[in-house]
Amino acid sequence: MRILDMHCDTIMELMDREDISLRKNGGMLDLEKMRQGDYLLQCFAMFVPYLSRKEGENYSPFRYCHRMIDRYYREIEKNADLIRPVTTVREIRENMLSGRMSALLTVEEGGVCLGSLELLRNFYRLGVRMMTLTWNFKNELAYPNIDYTPKSSEEEQQTARNSRVPETEHGLTETGKEFVREMNRLGMIIDCSHLGDAGFYDVIRLSDKPVVCSHSCARALCGHVRNMTDDMLDRLKENGGVVGINYCPDFVTDEQRPVTVSDLADHIEYIRSRIGVEHIGFGSDFDGISNERLELKDASFMPRVIEELERRGFSDREIDMIGYENALRVFEKNFGC
Ligand SMILES: [Zn+2]
């Protein structure tokens, strides 16, 4: 059990589809594929759109998040022979010993809390242990690097969506800063993926716990603004945090071509040379991305990444650090045990 993946969108794929299950489905990640891929733990993101035209007028991100959490627990409960939900590192180790995989509940959109610390605390009580402050909408807490908020013209809208200019001006709001302090106190990991560059620096200044960028790559190798600049990587190192390599072809290369495990290993090698192996993990983004241009079609392909790292001379110890130990270190520092 060597793989800890900090981000997937599989629960989103199951929403409004009672005919498919977490155990086995036609998507990029299910429990059978995780077994084949030698998984220890999967972080299941509740990906909640902050604004949604599709869901109609009475749409509420808070309510939608609860619907997703209900589906998450129903799926996990049905498959207790293979996987158990965890909120502590002790439980992860217990599952490991009994040969079961672990599931960690995470949220991708801090706006589900509607700016309320009370709701944040209640999400923690429901088992949420990691949360991005934003997705691609500005919200009560912060500004993202890509902003999908409706604009007055179609042209403006497209420009914002395709932005290659990071948000360096607007960081965290006052409420966002309170959230960082409260997430630190509770032991909920702050996930800086999607957050604007200015917001990332605000979090790094304020957080007294290690943070993650659960599904982002290196901007030096691919210019997408969802990736981390060298300076951001340096700050992440000082913070003790971890970046989870995202397999999305658009985040791996600027070229329109198929992406191989070797391309992913390039990002791993680059980040290792910049800030050290202690700060690298995995954040597949499975079921949130297309695998059309991807050699790594689904979770069962993960041993190919391990083989590629071995081929490049990474030691067993280094592979285990990248595979799961680095992320577990951040979990432990945040959860307390
Ligand atoms: Zn994402």
Side-chain angles (χ1 to χ4, degrees), residues 7 108 135 194 215 226:
H7 190 87
E108 186 175 27
W135 184 64
H194 289 284
H215 55 306
R226 279 279 289 96

Side-chain angles (χ1 to χ4, degrees), residues 7-9 12 45-49 64 68 106-109 135:
H7 190 87
C8 79
D9 286 320
M12 170 184 78
M46 306 297 108
F47 164 65
V48 178
Y64 191 77
M68 279 194 117
T106 73
V107 170
E108 186 175 27
E109 174 53 85
W135 184 64

